[in-house]
Amino acid sequence: RNAGGSLATLLLNLIRVFGEHKLIIPFTREEMAHTLGYSKESIINTLSDFQKDNIISISGKNLEILDKKALETIAEKG
């Protein structure tokens, strides 16, 4: 699984746990990278790509899922 697929899966799991499409990410980018087995830069770049593609909106630790279907597709294929 690539970084995009892993990150999409993590974000989908977060919205399942919190039951919201808007949430505060409970850990740092570095912690996400370590958990997923990728570099911090890779996670930051992937988050940026998701934002450019209007899949998420992110500012600091505030995250909003804009296109859950796109995330599900990335998680499935990634």
Side-chain angles (χ1 to χ4, degrees):
R1 174 168 277 184
N2 63 27
S6 295
L7 186 57
T9 300
L10 174 67
L11 296 177
L12 289 168
N13 286 333
L14 286 175
I15 62 174
R16 278 189 209 108
V17 168
F18 290 101
E20 298 285 332
H21 282 24
K22 286 185 180 182
L23 53 105
I24 297 173
I25 301 173
F27 32 74
T28 66
R29 310 294 196 268
E30 192 169 338
E31 290 168 333
M32 278 195 281
H34 179 74
T35 299
L36 297 174
Y38 294 95
S39 69
K40 181 173 87 169
E41 292 77 14
S42 181
I43 296 302
I44 290 169
N45 289 337
T46 304
L47 287 169
S48 179
D49 289 344
F50 285 178
Q51 183 157 319
K52 285 178 195 163
D53 293 338
N54 292 315
I55 297 170
I56 64 169
S57 174
I58 191 163
S59 177
K61 287 188 170 255
N62 296 307
L63 171 79
E64 181 177 4
I65 305 299
L66 302 174
D67 190 344
K68 184 179 175 193
K69 279 286 187 204
L71 272 184
E72 290 168 344
T73 299
I74 293 166
E76 182 181 306
K77 296 184 178 191

